[in-house]
Amino acid sequence: MSGDESDLASAEMTPRETGRAWSFDLQSRAQADGAPDRWFDELYAKADGESGFIPWENAAPRDRLSAWLSDNPGNGKTALDVGCGLGDNASLLAAAGYQVTAFDLSGTAAAWAARRFPDQGIAFQQADIFSLPDAFTGAFDLVHECYNLQAMDPERVPEALACIAATVKPGGRLLVLTRAALEGVPKGERPAGPPTPIARETLERSVPSGLSRDRMDLFHDQRDPPIPHWLGEWTRSTD
């Protein structure tokens, strides 16, 4: 971890709390400079190999992904892990028998993930959800998105989900895990983002035609108090 007078860490803060403080500071600076996505790579670089400073690491509901994979093994099928971070979900996909490609907006994160999981044949790389490589279009049997949509400006979610969905091949599936914004909760009582909880109707209307919904499950994680999440699954038509 690098340190200077601008660091926001204190002896009373946990690494995760420190990382969250860093993230808000870096976001503010990046937005002021007109480069709102720059802070992701800056945060991974600032953590300098210490994963505890990345606020969302080990926060994703991997038990839900593990349970889903136990019922849906890869058997050599292809999978894309969207916004892979440090690679834990990509590793779960590979262990379940998928041939995994994983990308992150942060090249620092992708390189870090590759160092953590060198022996599973995962193709880690840097890429942007909004300008994915042409080779990704319609290329994957399974596309896994977890916690990236909730980290962005809510106005960008429909476009991002359309870009992600475009990578699903005919007969393939899209799996989305995200915090849930629930009906009946007054706007002033909803948690401030990011992460920004996403309404069911936003997910439903943002998935392009050609993909049919198989499930939209509401579940709560193990935190205290528990946080509501959606697990959504869609299949692309073969027509």
Side-chain angles (χ1 to χ4, degrees):
M1 177 187 65
S2 61
D4 58 39
E5 65 276 8
S6 67
D7 284 353
L8 302 177
S10 74
E12 293 75 27
M13 297 171 71
T14 66
R16 186 169 180 177
E17 290 169 339
T18 298
R20 189 164 178 81
W22 288 349
S23 70
F24 282 122
D25 181 56
L26 292 170
Q27 285 178 70
S28 179
R29 293 169 185 264
Q31 289 170 353
D33 291 342
D37 295 330
R38 185 187 69 197
W39 71 274
F40 288 103
D41 195 62
E42 291 178 335
L43 180 61
Y44 280 106
K46 192 175 183 69
D48 195 26
E50 297 291 341
S51 62
F53 290 103
I54 307 301
W56 48 85
E57 285 304 314
N58 298 317
R62 297 193 181 105
D63 58 334
R64 294 287 167 161
L65 176 58
S66 295
W68 189 91
L69 289 171
S70 69
D71 295 328
N72 299 274
N75 299 320
K77 293 180 179 179
T78 57
L80 178 67
D81 188 39
V82 178
C84 63
L86 298 186
D88 292 276
N89 289 332
S91 177
L92 285 178
L93 292 166
Y98 287 88
Q99 300 177 49
V100 181
T101 298
F103 75 89
D104 200 276
L105 179 64
S106 167
T108 301
W112 189 344
R115 292 193 298 272
R116 293 184 70 216
F117 301 103
D119 302 322
Q120 290 183 285
I122 303 169
F124 289 105
Q125 64 186 84
Q126 189 279 332
D128 186 333
I129 285 173
F130 297 99
S131 56
L132 293 171
D134 290 342
F136 282 13
T137 302
F140 298 97
D141 296 295
L142 172 64
V143 176
H144 169 253
E145 149 56 27
C146 181
Y147 278 17
N148 295 285
L149 299 176
Q150 67 183 37
M152 62 182 62
D153 185 327
E155 293 184 357
R156 304 180 79 187
V157 168
E159 180 187 357
L161 196 47
C163 291
I164 293 167
T167 66
V168 181
K169 68 166 51 175
R173 287 181 287 184
L174 170 65
L175 189 67
V176 174
L177 286 151
T178 187
R179 292 193 184 199
L182 302 181
E183 295 181 7
V185 178
K187 189 172 183 179
E189 296 180 14
R190 298 174 188 173
T196 303
I198 298 176
R200 175 173 181 152
E201 60 265 27
T202 298
L203 294 175
E204 297 278 20
R205 70 169 180 262
S206 298
V207 173
S209 60
L211 286 97
S212 59
R213 177 172 54 80
D214 300 313
R215 65 194 293 181
M216 182 70 74
D217 297 343
L218 177 67
F219 69 94
H220 291 73
D221 67 12
Q222 301 302 309
R223 277 173 275 200
D224 185 17
I227 297 173
H229 288 72
W230 297 120
L231 186 156
E233 182 181 349
W234 293 262
T235 300
R236 181 175 291 285
S237 170
T238 57
D239 295 337

